[in-house]
Amino acid sequence: MERFSFLNTINFNQIEILYNKYLKSPDSIEHSWRAFFQGFDFYKKKYNIFLKKKSKKIFKEINVLKLINFYKEKGHLFSNINPIFEKKIKYDPTLDIKNFNLDKEDLDNCFFSSKEIGIYPCSLKEIIGVLKKKYCESIGLEYMYINNIKQIKWINNWINNNNNYILSNNEKINFLIKLNKAIEFEKFLHTKFVGQKRFSIEGNESILPALYYIIEYSSINYPIEDFVIGMSHRGRLNILCNFFKKECKKIFNEFLGKEYYENKFLGDVKYHLGYKRYIKNKIGKKINIINVPNSSHLESVDPIVEGIVRAKIDNDYNGNYNKVIPIIIHGDASFSAQGIAYEVIQMSLLEGYKTGGTIHIIINNQIGFTTNCSDSRSSIYCTDLAKVILSPVIHVNSDDIESVIYSIRFAIDFRMYSNKDVFVDLLGYRRYGHNEGDDPRFTQQFFYKMIDNHKNIYDIYKKKLKKKNFFSKKFLKKIENKYKNIIENGYNESKYIKKTELDNFISYKDELIYAKYKYLIKKVNTTFPKKKLLEIGNKIYNINKYQNIYKKLKKILINKLFLLIKKRIVDWGIAELLAYGSLLYEGYNVRLSGEDVERGTFAHRHIVINSEFEEKILLLNNIGKGKINVYNSLLSEYGVLGFDYGYSMFSNKTLTLWEAQFGDFSNGAQIIIDQYLSSAETKWKIKNGLVLLLPHGYEGQGSEHSSSRIERYLQLCANYNMFICNCSTPSNFYHLLRRQIKSNFRKPLIIFTPKSLLRNIKCISLLKELSNGEFEEIIYDKYIKKKNVKKIIFCSGKIYYDILKKTKKLNNKNIAIIRIEQLYPIKNNYIENILMQYKNKKYILWVQEEPENMGVWPYLYIKYRKIPWILISPPESSAPSTGSYNSFFKNHIELVNKIFTI
């Protein structure tokens, strides 16, 4: 068959088409096929009788190759991967050899095509036996849609070489012990805490030995040192106890609902919590494993896991993707239905977000709360999303533990070979309802009748090993009693624990504090020498060394250099890049990502410029010891914000920023903002310093391009959980960015950044304000004498410049305009103390661009209700802004004029 090896590289349904094409135009086909068909025609003419036998043999070989190819492509459709049901859907064509122009007489004939599946020439009957074992028993493998020939070849070789992979007796006993722990833990909880939610793993207990195998096999055979696990609540308590070794007394204590030691932390339900563990594998290698906390938004943890892993790759392993593996454990219904799973998969091969391949394990219990598979997705499998990035999927019967381990071994080897995602569909069932207080028979009587009569995996595997005399009854009783005693003792000890303690799943290398009020209001030194700023600015904007730069861009950058060097003034874009440059000089790192951040949506940043040939040039390279990375993201908010949140969590020496294209678009990531950004420190003791840049401002661009929904962020503020700022000067923005990383604590920072102000000639700062200044939470009116003030106008952001312009036009000397730059937190009594300085005031106004029911006003009114505010704003509205520029402009003029009629 070596002479006809080209036959192995084609879809054999195309052979007849090729032959007809050859008859019409021999030169139109590939040379090896042309030679084949020429020889075929020669024999056909000269040796007709001999040829009939010879060609029949050749075409029989081709038909056997067709059969082999069909098993590879479609074998998963006929596999025994469901532990509860037989397949209801009948697929056509079937595996019957008649469908491949083969018959019973061929079964005993020897075929060279067997080499395609890694065995010596043998009979068709033997070939079919091997194919069924490889592709149609407890495992169904999907991979033939992959268009990378090397990956297909690698997978074929792996399957051929691992056909006879045999577990050692010790491994089998170990897996049995793990399965016993998984079963007994759930039984114990079911008995002791009747009706309490625990989201049992029963029906998919094989996940426990699977995780153990991932850690041991990966860390022994590859240079892996770190694992980051994300999972929803199904089976989480079991994994925490039996895999992460969280003391069972702590888990039982959480079931008893006791108060927390730390009053400032609210904690969370027990099946949302994270944990960390250091272990040594069999060869003594130290391994770090973390389980990331997750909310009830099941797949929301996915991008956070990826961000953490990328942070570890960048910060700890110098870009080596083979030092850390992300493992994400999904639910079948959530994975196939929730859009975040798609966003994360689309990120997986992008330069700014790749992590070297994720092992995805789907806990497939064939039901979503009360929804059947047929109602929860349109695809055949819940894993069909994997085909987006042409990753292999291995479906496996969760009741066959040895096949599960085989699948995990494949997943690890493929990930390490390709640095690409791989998916293991662990097909099982759910023993009880969605939670243990729910009765699933309301909706799935037939399914649960079958589950009730189905043996658990421990009993199944125990019976299998018993037949082979792997252990004595005494040994079995010993391991069962040992674990029962451990959890029983843990339960008894939990009764004497007075309070619950929150476990911190993350440890920073540098000590960071949990900041209380006094630390938040403390000034941070953000000064930086003017001389160094000028040097950095010159490095950034002096572009003479670059060739083929777009003329318009070159003019912009030269002008910025002129403003900085000659006039010693900075606009918003200059201030931002100087903030990054000064931090890089001091050894800090910077990561900026989001839609169009390289240029900036409003073409103000130009931190990355492109040559005529679209070669990317990062202007802030080689400024100091720090590194900067800037990435235009895919068109995603939820996924990318989640990723950068995870990245920031493990990058305390990196200023990590995510920018929304327009601030309004951040609502696409509301789950990350609500469940993590604003509350994770209170719930899970997670410190995070992520910065959100949200362009905000009313310029008549319509409802979706005006408001960053300031009111929503302020509504989330409590317990000094984050900073909310709306800067109006470049220098304040500069100091705010520097303060974020130079503080000895980490809090999320939301900055409402301008749009039209980016080019407003009034919105500039002096260079000395950057070098010697500091961040000002509130900016006083510097142009008015306090004793003359009759009217005090409080505002925030862009509208200040409109009020100032009108005030100067009217030459009004009795109005003071005060800008609140930091909306949260505001120092205690700060506003009251300001008001006391204006002895002759008669009116106190709050002025905002946003409608009455939006913006800062709802928050301000509640917090400072004793102040006799007069509100100047557009009337309440269900949409943030009008879509007509003329209407907006007219209304805005009326708004500003109204200030001066009071």
Side-chain angles (χ1 to χ4, degrees):
M1 277 300 289
E2 281 78 2
R3 292 175 57 202
F4 306 109
S5 60
F6 56 90
L7 295 175
N8 297 340
T9 64
I10 194 166
N11 183 331
F12 299 102
N13 294 324
Q14 303 297 315
I15 290 176
E16 189 175 351
I17 296 170
L18 269 177
Y19 184 60
N20 290 330
K21 194 174 180 182
Y22 159 79
L23 292 174
K24 290 179 182 178
S25 175
D27 293 331
S28 65
I29 65 171
E30 197 268 331
H31 70 89
S32 58
W33 279 104
R34 185 171 68 243
F36 174 77
F37 289 133
Q38 284 170 345
F40 179 80
D41 286 347
F42 174 78
Y43 276 104
K44 186 177 179 182
K45 287 179 181 178
K46 200 160 187 177
Y47 303 103
N48 197 33
I49 297 172
F50 172 76
L51 178 64
K52 282 183 180 178
K53 293 180 180 179
K54 194 74 175 176
S55 64
K56 185 178 179 182
K57 173 65 176 171
I58 291 171
F59 277 98
K60 285 287 184 181
E61 287 282 4
I62 291 171
N63 289 337
V64 173
L65 283 172
K66 283 184 182 179
L67 176 67
I68 291 170
N69 200 53
F70 189 82
Y71 266 91
K72 290 179 179 180
E73 284 187 353
K74 307 293 183 184
H76 59 91
L77 297 173
F78 305 92
S79 57
N80 181 32
I81 57 175
N82 196 322
I84 302 296
F85 293 116
E86 289 185 10
K87 279 193 167 70
K88 295 179 181 178
I89 301 172
K90 301 300 179 185
Y91 297 98
D92 188 60
T94 66
L95 297 171
D96 194 317
I97 59 173
K98 290 179 182 178
N99 293 321
F100 304 89
N101 296 317
L102 298 166
D103 47 47
K104 289 182 180 178
E105 287 74 24
D106 295 314
L107 289 171
D108 294 322
N109 291 337
C110 183
F111 290 94
F112 287 86
S113 304
S114 60
K115 288 187 176 181
E116 182 71 10
I117 54 174
I119 55 177
Y120 288 106
C122 60
S123 69
L124 178 59
K125 185 187 291 182
E126 290 173 298
I127 290 170
I128 291 170
V130 172
L131 288 171
K132 284 185 175 178
K133 184 177 180 182
K134 286 184 176 183
Y135 297 104
C136 295
E137 290 190 349
S138 293
I139 290 174
L141 183 58
E142 289 187 278
Y143 69 101
M144 290 298 283
Y145 46 76
I146 296 173
N147 59 17
N148 185 311
I149 294 172
K150 288 183 179 179
Q151 288 179 9
I152 290 286
K153 186 177 179 181
W154 184 93
I155 292 171
N156 284 331
N157 288 338
W158 192 96
I159 294 168
N160 294 340
N161 295 333
N162 287 273
N163 186 43
N164 296 316
Y165 171 64
I166 299 171
L167 294 168
S168 70
N169 289 355
N170 281 341
E171 284 178 310
K172 291 178 181 181
I173 293 294
N174 264 329
F175 295 144
L176 185 70
I177 291 170
K178 301 290 187 294
L179 292 173
N180 172 62
K181 289 179 177 180
I183 291 287
E184 286 302 322
F185 181 79
E186 299 293 356
K187 282 182 180 178
F188 188 84
L189 293 181
H190 198 60
T191 305
K192 297 294 185 182
F193 305 102
V194 179
Q196 282 206 45
K197 291 181 183 181
R198 71 176 193 276
F199 298 99
S200 159
I201 197 61
E202 290 167 276
N204 257 308
E205 295 92 342
S206 55
I207 185 64
L208 181 60
L211 284 175
Y212 270 100
Y213 190 77
I214 289 175
I215 306 304
E216 280 294 320
Y217 181 76
S218 300
S219 61
I220 289 173
N221 293 280
Y222 298 104
I224 298 294
E225 297 178 24
D226 241 312
F227 295 87
V228 181
I229 299 174
M231 66 182 298
S232 53
H233 41 260
R234 176 70 54 201
R236 191 182 193 91
L237 294 177
N238 207 315
I239 297 302
L240 286 173
C241 179
N242 290 315
F243 179 70
F244 280 94
K245 302 301 180 186
K246 180 175 179 176
E247 292 179 283
C248 58
K249 66 181 180 182
K250 288 186 176 182
I251 295 173
F252 300 147
N253 197 47
E254 289 161 2
F255 269 98
L256 296 170
K258 296 174 184 177
E259 293 180 351
Y260 292 99
Y261 279 108
E262 306 100 324
N263 293 328
K264 61 182 177 180
F265 296 114
L266 297 177
D268 202 348
V269 289
K270 48 201 166 293
Y271 39 80
H272 286 176
L273 303 178
Y275 208 72
K276 67 176 183 289
R277 181 190 177 195
Y278 294 96
I279 66 167
K280 283 188 177 180
N281 66 14
K282 290 176 183 176
I283 60 173
K285 183 177 173 183
K286 188 179 179 183
I287 308 299
N288 177 44
I289 317 168
I290 63 170
N291 189 10
V292 185
N294 190 17
S295 72
S296 284
H297 293 79
L298 306 179
E299 301 289 334
S300 64
V301 77
D302 300 358
I304 295 170
V305 166
E306 303 295 349
I308 291 171
V309 170
R310 180 57 180 263
K312 284 175 171 284
I313 290 167
D314 289 350
N315 301 329
D316 300 336
Y317 299 117
N318 198 28
N320 189 342
Y321 293 100
N322 290 332
K323 286 288 189 178
V324 52
I325 290 183
I327 303 167
I328 304 181
I329 303 170
H330 309 270
D332 54 320
S334 62
F335 184 71
S336 60
Q338 292 189 6
I340 186 60
Y342 174 81
E343 291 184 37
V344 169
I345 284 169
Q346 280 288 22
M347 291 159 68
S348 65
L349 296 172
L350 301 180
E351 185 60 36
Y353 308 92
K354 63 184 179 182
T355 55
T358 299
I359 295 177
H360 299 267
I361 303 175
I362 290 82
I363 300 290
N364 190 341
N365 49 41
Q366 308 186 62
I367 193 168
F369 202 161
T370 67
T371 306
N372 290 321
C373 295
S374 57
D375 297 315
S376 66
R377 63 177 183 267
S378 298
S379 56
I380 296 175
Y381 296 114
C382 65
T383 53
D384 282 348
L385 198 54
K387 295 171 185 175
V388 170
I389 53 169
L390 303 177
S391 281
V393 179
I394 189 161
H395 307 278
V396 57
N397 188 321
S398 186
D399 271 0
D400 185 345
I401 184 60
E402 293 181 17
S403 291
V404 170
I405 298 304
Y406 177 90
S407 303
I408 292 297
R409 185 186 177 103
F410 168 82
I412 296 163
D413 288 344
F414 180 81
R415 188 274 181 189
M416 298 305 292
Y417 160 75
S418 67
N419 281 137
K420 191 175 178 182
D421 288 21
V422 61
F423 298 77
V424 179
D425 181 15
L426 206 58
L427 211 83
Y429 55 93
R430 190 182 70 194
R431 175 68 64 182
Y432 302 104
H434 175 66
N435 61 66
E436 290 64 35
D438 179 61
D439 188 347
R441 289 162 191 79
F442 282 131
T443 48
Q444 280 88 15
Q445 288 189 55
F446 177 70
F447 188 23
Y448 272 86
K449 189 174 181 180
M450 296 184 76
I451 289 172
D452 287 343
N453 295 319
H454 188 78
K455 286 186 176 180
N456 67 55
I457 186 174
Y458 175 64
D459 289 338
I460 292 170
Y461 197 48
K462 181 170 64 175
K463 184 178 179 181
K464 179 180 177 179
L465 296 186
K466 264 185 181 179
K467 286 181 180 178
K468 297 179 180 179
N469 297 317
F470 268 78
F471 46 75
S472 63
K473 286 183 180 180
K474 184 179 178 182
F475 172 80
L476 200 63
K477 201 72 177 172
K478 182 181 177 182
I479 64 168
E480 290 175 351
N481 287 337
K482 182 181 179 181
Y483 187 70
K484 282 179 182 177
N485 289 336
I486 289 170
I487 54 177
E488 190 69 53
N489 291 336
Y491 177 70
N492 291 330
E493 287 176 33
S494 70
K495 296 175 184 178
Y496 299 100
I497 301 174
K498 293 181 179 180
K499 291 188 177 183
T500 299
E501 184 178 1
L502 277 174
D503 293 299
N504 185 357
F505 95 108
I506 177 173
S507 294
Y508 281 102
K509 290 180 179 177
D510 296 323
E511 190 62 31
L512 292 171
I513 63 170
Y514 285 104
K516 298 178 182 177
Y517 170 73
K518 66 178 181 179
Y519 296 108
L520 266 65
I521 64 169
K522 189 178 179 181
K523 289 290 183 182
V524 177
N525 183 2
T526 55
T527 60
F528 191 81
K530 186 192 292 185
K531 184 181 177 182
K532 291 293 182 186
L533 283 175
L534 289 169
E535 287 176 9
I536 291 168
N538 194 55
K539 278 189 176 181
I540 293 171
Y541 292 116
N542 193 341
I543 60 165
N544 292 328
K545 55 187 173 183
Y546 304 125
Q547 302 296 318
N548 303 312
I549 303 299
Y550 179 44
K551 287 181 180 178
K552 187 176 178 180
L553 175 58
K554 194 170 186 178
K555 186 177 178 181
I556 290 171
L557 298 178
I558 289 170
N559 184 56
K560 285 183 180 288
L561 185 63
F562 174 77
L563 286 176
L564 178 62
I565 304 298
K566 298 297 184 182
K567 292 202 168 186
R568 305 294 170 96
I569 59 176
V570 298
D571 63 12
W572 198 275
I574 297 171
E576 181 179 355
L577 267 59
L578 287 178
Y580 301 151
S582 64
L583 291 173
L584 294 171
Y585 183 86
E586 293 174 319
Y588 297 100
N589 301 321
V590 178
R591 175 188 167 91
L592 171 63
S593 93
E595 295 157 21
D596 312 295
V597 296
E598 293 179 3
R599 187 199 79 170
T601 299
F602 312 102
H604 82 285
R605 182 175 289 123
H606 297 295
I607 195 168
V608 176
I609 60 175
N610 294 286
S611 70
E612 183 182 352
F613 308 104
E614 298 200 12
E615 175 196 359
K616 289 189 175 183
I617 300 163
L618 185 55
L619 292 181
L620 283 158
N621 264 337
N622 305 316
I623 284 180
K625 292 182 179 179
K627 294 179 182 178
I628 182 166
N629 290 296
V630 183
Y631 301 107
N632 279 348
S633 74
L634 67 164
L635 200 64
S636 153
E637 286 84 34
Y638 190 177
V640 176
L641 179 57
F643 185 100
D644 285 325
Y645 178 83
Y647 191 95
S648 178
M649 197 187 304
F650 277 76
S651 303
N652 63 311
K653 288 289 186 182
T654 301
L655 179 65
T656 308
L657 308 100
W658 174 78
E659 183 174 62
Q661 190 179 70
F662 284 83
D664 315 54
F665 299 171
S666 64
N667 59 17
Q670 201 66 47
I671 289 171
I672 299 296
I673 293 163
D674 290 349
Q675 306 302 326
Y676 296 90
L677 200 76
S678 67
S679 58
E681 184 173 317
T682 304
K683 294 190 295 186
W684 305 314
K685 294 174 73 172
I686 291 177
K687 298 186 282 279
N688 197 297
L690 181 64
V691 180
L692 271 61
L693 303 177
L694 308 180
H696 175 87
Y698 282 59
E699 279 101 5
Q701 295 183 344
S703 293
E704 277 70 55
H705 299 84
S706 298
S707 176
S708 299
R709 297 291 192 175
I710 292 175
E711 66 279 359
R712 292 184 180 172
Y713 292 93
L714 288 172
Q715 189 181 42
L716 294 171
C717 289
N719 310 118
Y720 306 108
N721 59 334
M722 54 186 176
F723 292 102
I724 310 291
C725 297
N726 190 15
C727 299
S728 61
T729 70
S731 64
N732 233 17
F733 182 54
Y734 166 89
H735 289 292
L736 185 58
L737 292 176
R738 284 180 53 77
R739 185 186 76 170
Q740 182 68 4
I741 198 69
K742 292 182 78 68
S743 301
N744 63 345
F745 58 87
R746 295 289 174 265
K747 299 277 184 182
L749 168 62
I750 317 297
I751 309 178
F752 300 102
T753 56
K755 294 179 289 183
S756 63
L757 286 190
L758 298 173
R759 289 171 182 79
N760 189 319
I761 59 172
K762 297 292 184 183
C763 186
I764 57 172
S765 297
L766 301 176
L767 183 60
K768 66 180 181 181
E769 293 179 281
L770 274 62
S771 59
N772 298 325
E774 62 182 12
F775 177 71
E776 298 178 87
E777 289 92 346
I778 292 180
I779 301 178
Y780 290 85
D781 195 327
K782 300 170 185 175
Y783 306 104
I784 200 79
K785 291 181 179 179
K786 292 179 181 178
K787 66 179 182 179
N788 295 335
V789 171
K790 299 289 191 295
K791 189 185 294 182
I792 303 175
I793 299 172
F794 284 90
C795 64
S796 187
K798 164 184 160 282
I799 200 168
Y800 161 76
Y801 291 93
D802 299 318
I803 301 169
L804 180 65
K805 183 179 178 181
K806 185 71 173 180
T807 304
K808 288 188 174 182
K809 184 178 180 181
L810 296 174
N811 196 25
N812 194 308
K813 303 291 186 180
N814 63 2
I815 289 179
I817 310 171
I818 298 174
R819 289 169 273 174
I820 302 181
E821 303 278 292
Q822 183 165 292
L823 300 167
Y824 184 87
I826 298 174
K827 293 177 187 175
N828 293 342
N829 303 314
Y830 200 179
I831 293 178
E832 292 87 343
N833 291 337
I834 290 172
L835 291 173
M836 289 174 65
Q837 297 175 36
Y838 297 90
K839 304 295 183 182
N840 299 317
K841 63 184 179 294
K842 289 186 178 180
Y843 307 103
I844 304 169
L845 281 61
W846 173 260
V847 182
Q848 65 178 38
E849 299 177 287
E850 301 84 3
E852 181 179 350
N853 57 318
M854 301 177 192
V856 180
W857 172 245
Y859 176 82
L860 193 74
Y861 177 72
I862 292 170
K863 283 289 184 182
Y864 299 95
R865 64 184 69 193
K866 291 181 180 179
I867 296 174
W869 300 104
I870 298 172
L871 172 65
I872 305 294
S873 78
E876 63 180 24
S877 173
S878 56
S881 178
T882 176
S884 162
Y885 179 79
N886 289 335
S887 295
F888 156 76
F889 189 71
K890 178 185 174 184
N891 295 337
H892 192 68
I893 293 296
E894 289 176 2
L895 174 72
V896 175
N897 287 340
K898 190 176 179 181
I899 297 168
F900 301 91
T901 61
I902 295 173

